[in-house]
Amino acid sequence: MGTRAWALLLVLCGTIFLEGIDVAMLAVAIPSIRSDLDLPTDTAAWVMSAYVLGYAGFTLLGGRAADLLGRRRMFLTWLTVFLAFSGLGGFATEGWTLIVARFVTGVSAAFMTPAALSLITTSYEEGEQRNKALLVFAGTAAGGFSLGLVIGGLLTQLGWRWVFFAPVLLAGALLVAATRLIPHQPRPAESENAESENAEPGSSEPGSAEPEKSPGRPRRRTEGFDILGATTAAAAMLLAAYAVIRLEHGLDGWRLTAGAALAAAALLVVFVAVERRTPTPLVRLGILRTGSVVRADLGALLFVGAFFGFQFVLTLYLQELRGWSSLQTAIALVVLGCDAILAPTLTPRLVARFGHAKVILGGFVLAVVAYGLFLPVGMDWSYAAMFPTLIIAGTAFALAYGPLTIAATDGVAESEQGLASGLLHTFTQFGSAIGISAVTAVYGLASSGASAGSDPDATLSAFRAALIVPVAMVTLGALLSSFGLGSRTKPPTAGAPAAPAAPTTAAATVIAATPADAIPGGSANPTRQRLS
């Protein structure tokens, strides 16, 4: 790739890095925020949960909006919103202000991140070049989260408000660079006219593949926007995310949890009915009938959910049972960020040699080994005893997550890259929330009979029970990935219906370092411009 191509990739990866450190730093800072603002437990929990709710609730809509309204426009607009509301959080003096700021920041990430991923998949040639870009993207996501834990610990020592102001500085730098590097998107009228002209088979215009066909704009303007579909989808996702978040409460308030889940299911039925009838659907349902799409997205859900569920249990073990500080815990978990080095270096070679299906399966198997090794954790395990699990888990993430991103976007038509990216991020966000909520619920049920902190043996037993959740999730993921995940769909040919095959970072948007008391992305368009 040339200099400009690398510069654009660094900016887009900087976005997922921003999202990763933002979540991680806040996770470390929550205890200080709670103490300084005198927040009750439920309010402190909602400061974290509001981000997950906004992200998971709007990611599907955000991905499709990038296709329909322009990837560059969505990226720049929502990066600006992210910057503004992160700054607002830094000036907050009350809990409700923090909750609103985190919810809107999550919504902005839901639009910004799929746009960034679809900009990558439509800017780099399908094959080795795109694979490398996606693996760098995935590695940057996890690296941002791991480094964010340490940076958050350091900034919290200076004052928790810096946890909000630091992302503002990074987002501002990315916004300036992105404005210069992402090709300008024509106005809607210009877009339609240019599309008509470029569609003429006899066109001899030498500039037909130039900026007018930039990767930052959709192939085709739709006749209308599916407002009803967008509304029902957002409402269903919000309710589903809320129900998943409430799982951490176990049987406490189960009627509210069940009611939210049933309402989400009903709205999903309405959404499917709307999408079947509208001439311009928000989501072309046929994309969900492609086996590779479903397997890749479900695989991402299971892998990410297990990863962050394990990380959450490990954090509780170190802080609650062992008495480690948040900074000590963050430094101990840095080794999990080894995937930031392995993903762009080792993983591309393995994918080129064995194909992404086998590499994904290898990642799942390593994850089973890693989490399984931690099941017999003892009361006084040394860091040396924990290190094999941490290094293997980080390597597993490097092998599985990037190739899952490749599998989820490989062969998808350019006009649906945002949709594919949105689907992937929707599944990963729900995976994150499910993993955290499930281990929290199991931990709570297993420790229900013992007074908090009064019986270390009972607490340790509860940790071991919770660790079964990530082991079960990656085991199921390994079985799923063994059923032809790597099957590749050929890119659609011009004039043919779009042939789907679907999309952080991996965006790691979950509560990974919060103490228990704070928790209750082939084209059918041969003229498309490519970066090289």
Side-chain angles (χ1 to χ4, degrees):
M1 294 189 290
T3 302
R4 186 177 181 85
W6 272 111
L8 176 60
L9 179 60
L10 289 176
V11 169
L12 297 176
C13 287
T15 305
I16 200 67
F17 181 85
L18 168 67
E19 192 267 337
I21 65 168
D22 176 76
V23 173
M25 290 192 301
L26 184 62
V28 174
I30 273 290
S32 296
I33 296 173
R34 180 185 179 189
S35 175
D36 187 40
L37 299 184
D38 194 24
L39 301 180
T41 298
D42 57 347
T43 301
W46 271 108
V47 172
M48 294 298 302
S49 299
Y51 183 93
V52 178
L53 192 66
Y55 203 149
F58 288 90
T59 304
L60 183 59
L61 177 59
R64 195 55 178 149
D67 289 331
L68 301 178
L69 304 179
R71 298 176 184 114
R72 182 182 191 273
R73 181 178 295 112
M74 289 294 98
F75 180 84
L76 296 178
T77 298
W78 289 99
L79 178 56
T80 302
V81 175
F82 188 101
L83 183 157
F85 278 83
S86 183
L88 175 64
F91 289 109
T93 57
E94 297 184 26
W96 70 266
T97 309
L98 277 174
I99 292 173
V100 170
R102 292 307 295 169
F103 179 77
V104 179
T105 304
V107 173
S108 64
F111 283 82
M112 174 181 71
T113 307
L117 181 56
S118 61
L119 278 166
I120 290 178
T121 57
T122 56
S123 298
Y124 299 88
E125 198 67 46
E126 186 174 5
E128 182 180 354
Q129 187 182 84
R130 182 191 293 180
N131 291 350
K132 185 173 184 178
L134 289 174
L135 291 171
V136 172
F137 186 80
T140 303
F145 189 84
S146 299
L147 290 176
L149 294 174
V150 179
I151 296 172
L154 294 174
L155 290 179
T156 302
Q157 302 298 316
L158 299 176
W160 63 263
R161 296 184 187 277
W162 280 104
V163 167
F164 291 89
F165 294 144
V168 171
L169 300 176
L170 178 55
L174 290 173
L175 186 61
V176 172
T179 303
R180 296 174 59 87
L181 291 169
I182 301 177
H184 177 69
Q185 174 180 348
R187 296 175 181 232
E190 296 173 1
S191 176
E192 293 170 356
N193 293 335
E195 188 67 46
S196 299
E197 293 173 3
N198 289 329
E200 295 176 4
S203 174
S204 59
E205 289 293 330
S208 60
E210 294 306 313
E212 288 79 10
K213 295 298 293 178
S214 76
R217 57 175 288 271
R219 285 180 63 239
R220 181 180 293 113
R221 296 288 299 178
T222 59
E223 296 179 358
F225 192 79
D226 182 12
I227 300 296
L228 183 57
T231 303
T232 54
M237 292 298 101
L238 279 169
L239 284 168
Y242 178 69
V244 168
I245 290 171
R246 282 199 53 82
L247 288 176
E248 66 187 33
H249 297 288
L251 298 178
D252 185 25
W254 67 270
R255 289 184 177 85
L256 180 58
T257 304
L262 289 174
L267 282 171
L268 282 175
V269 172
V270 174
F271 172 71
V272 171
V274 170
E275 298 307 278
R276 286 181 179 276
R277 289 174 171 80
T278 182
T280 56
L282 178 73
V283 176
R284 187 178 63 81
L285 298 177
I287 198 171
L288 299 176
R289 291 195 293 269
T290 303
S292 59
V293 173
V294 176
R295 284 190 295 270
D297 290 344
L298 285 175
L301 181 151
L302 291 167
F303 190 87
V304 172
F307 183 82
F308 290 106
F310 167 75
Q311 195 173 63
F312 183 57
V313 175
L314 175 60
T315 300
L316 294 181
Y317 165 76
L318 293 176
Q319 292 189 1
E320 283 197 341
L321 197 60
R322 304 295 298 276
W324 292 23
S325 69
S326 58
L327 183 58
Q328 286 176 311
T329 301
I331 294 175
L333 297 183
V334 166
V335 67
L336 287 171
C338 65
D339 65 322
I341 298 173
L342 297 177
T345 55
L346 174 63
T347 309
R349 298 180 182 180
L350 295 177
V351 170
R353 181 169 181 177
F354 300 107
H356 52 65
K358 292 181 179 178
V359 177
I360 290 169
L361 179 57
F364 272 107
V365 171
L366 280 181
V368 173
V369 173
Y371 305 150
L373 286 174
F374 212 79
L375 283 174
V377 60
M379 189 73 70
D380 56 355
W381 269 24
S382 66
Y383 184 69
M386 305 176 207
F387 187 80
T389 288
L390 300 179
I391 193 69
I392 295 173
T395 302
F397 199 100
L399 295 186
Y401 189 78
L404 278 168
T405 306
I406 294 171
T409 57
D410 200 18
V412 177
E414 180 184 352
S415 61
E416 292 188 323
Q417 282 292 331
L419 172 60
S421 301
L423 283 170
L424 174 64
H425 282 92
T426 297
F427 276 78
T428 57
Q429 291 310 307
F430 273 96
S432 304
I434 290 171
I436 292 292
S437 297
V439 298
T440 303
V442 171
Y443 173 79
L445 291 173
S447 61
S448 60
S451 302
S454 64
D455 189 348
D457 290 330
T459 302
L460 179 61
S461 178
F463 285 141
R464 290 172 176 166
L467 284 168
I468 295 175
V469 174
V471 174
M473 292 182 76
V474 288
T475 300
L476 182 58
L479 294 174
L480 179 68
S481 66
S482 66
F483 289 99
L485 177 61
S487 57
R488 174 175 172 144
T489 303
K490 292 183 179 180
T493 55
T504 314
T505 153
T509 58
V510 265
I511 316 158
T514 309
D517 63 352
I519 307 298
S523 168
N525 183 4
T527 64
R528 179 176 55 188
Q529 180 186 16
R530 292 289 187 186
L531 294 171
S532 59

